[in-house]
Amino acid sequence: MEKVVPDILDSSAYSIETAKQRTELDRMRREAEQRKEERRRKLVELQSQFKQLLHCNQSLPEHIRLQQTELELDPRFREEAEQLTDLQIQEVWKELAWEAEWHRVALKKLQERFWESLESDIITVVACESEHKISTYRLLPLSQRFLQLQKGGQSGRPRQCKKELSKENDMSSGGQDSSLDRAERQREDEIFSEDESQEHVGVPGGKGGHTADRLQKAAEKAERMKAKIKRRRQEWTDL
């Protein structure tokens, strides 16, 4: 009686066709690995032979020694290898670009905060014949506000000196023009001082009319004096 073969119920089990394909792929993979290994072995042998030839070439006299370009079988191999190396280097730079920029910015911030902001760093001087030594301090630069105030203070002194010199020159120069101006200014000050004193003087209620008359007369007198001063200035200008 023929034995009944049980069905394969495992979903991960290979079918007959799949198992056959997998076996064929494994065989092809093993053969490829064997060929690669054989080529690697041959390449190592060729490299060792080439190194021996280079050593022998270097030991020969210079007039019969082969140049490096003459030992190249095909320059295109070297060019392709260099291009491949450059491409790999560029790929690595692209992968590390963000991290390199992050570290560069962090280093720049640290330098600006702790190094470039210093006016002078610590300098230590050590004696040769004793254990004495002396060090300086770390100094920060002065603020812009302080520099502006210092600049303003220095510029204010020359202005005061210029004013004092101008006063001395006016006093030493003399002349009719300066004396006339001083006399006119004194008269104007006297007139205005009289007007102000009359306005602020307290007068009893019965004499309010007399106070108004005096103020009006003082104003008229001031106007006459101003006209007289103006006329004298015009005459002096015409001369």
Side-chain angles (χ1 to χ4, degrees):
M1 185 176 179
E2 187 177 356
K3 187 177 180 180
V4 178
V5 178
D7 294 335
I8 300 174
L9 302 177
D10 189 4
S11 59
S12 61
Y14 294 145
S15 62
I16 297 175
E17 185 65 24
T18 304
K20 186 177 180 180
Q21 292 177 0
R22 295 285 298 183
T23 304
E24 185 67 19
L25 289 174
D26 293 339
R27 184 184 63 79
M28 293 173 63
R29 188 179 295 109
R30 285 194 301 271
E31 291 178 356
E33 290 294 334
Q34 290 176 0
R35 288 194 298 269
K36 288 180 181 180
E37 188 65 26
E38 185 178 357
R39 289 178 181 177
R40 291 193 188 99
R41 186 172 60 255
K42 289 182 179 180
L43 183 60
V44 171
E45 292 177 358
L46 291 174
Q47 287 177 350
S48 61
Q49 293 177 6
F50 185 70
K51 289 180 180 179
Q52 291 177 1
L53 291 175
L54 287 177
H55 182 69
C56 294
N57 184 42
Q58 292 295 328
S59 62
L60 293 174
E62 187 175 359
H63 64 281
I64 61 174
R65 187 184 304 167
L66 295 176
Q67 300 297 327
Q68 187 69 26
T69 56
E70 296 176 353
L71 296 174
E72 292 182 359
L73 181 62
D74 192 350
R76 290 178 297 178
F77 292 157
R78 180 176 55 82
E79 294 176 358
E80 291 178 358
E82 291 178 354
Q83 291 178 0
L84 181 60
T85 304
D86 293 338
L87 289 175
Q88 292 177 352
I89 292 173
Q90 291 178 4
E91 290 294 331
V92 173
W93 274 111
K94 289 179 181 179
E95 292 176 359
L96 300 177
W98 185 89
E99 187 174 359
E101 183 66 17
W102 185 85
H103 286 289
R104 188 188 67 81
V105 173
L107 178 61
K108 184 179 179 181
K109 289 182 178 180
L110 289 174
Q111 289 177 348
E112 291 178 354
R113 177 66 179 84
F114 296 103
W115 180 254
E116 295 181 0
S117 61
L118 294 177
E119 184 72 18
S120 62
D121 199 4
I122 296 177
I123 300 175
T124 304
V125 180
V126 182
C128 297
E129 298 181 356
S130 63
E131 297 181 356
H132 296 86
K133 61 181 180 179
I134 186 171
S135 301
T136 59
Y137 294 98
R138 281 187 176 180
L139 299 178
L140 294 174
L142 299 176
S143 62
Q144 295 294 330
R145 176 66 176 170
F146 180 81
L147 294 177
Q148 291 176 0
L149 293 175
Q150 186 181 20
K151 186 177 180 181
Q154 292 178 356
S155 61
R157 293 180 180 178
R159 292 177 183 174
Q160 295 178 357
C161 295
K162 288 180 181 179
K163 289 181 180 179
E164 293 177 358
L165 289 174
S166 62
K167 290 181 180 179
E168 292 178 358
N169 292 331
D170 292 339
M171 294 176 64
S172 61
S173 61
Q176 295 179 356
D177 191 7
S178 60
S179 61
L180 180 60
D181 292 339
R182 285 197 297 272
E184 290 173 354
R185 285 196 295 270
Q186 290 177 0
R187 290 173 185 172
E188 290 177 358
D189 294 336
E190 291 175 359
I191 293 170
F192 289 122
S193 62
E194 290 177 0
D195 294 341
E196 291 177 359
S197 62
Q198 290 177 1
E199 289 177 0
H200 291 86
V201 171
V203 182
K207 298 182 180 180
H210 297 289
T211 304
D213 294 338
R214 284 200 298 270
L215 291 175
Q216 186 176 1
K217 290 179 180 179
E220 292 175 356
K221 185 178 179 181
E223 292 293 331
R224 288 196 301 271
M225 291 298 297
K226 287 182 180 179
K228 187 176 180 181
I229 292 170
K230 186 176 181 181
R231 186 172 62 255
R232 287 185 179 180
R233 286 182 177 176
Q234 186 64 32
E235 291 175 357
W236 182 258
T237 304
D238 295 336
L239 291 175

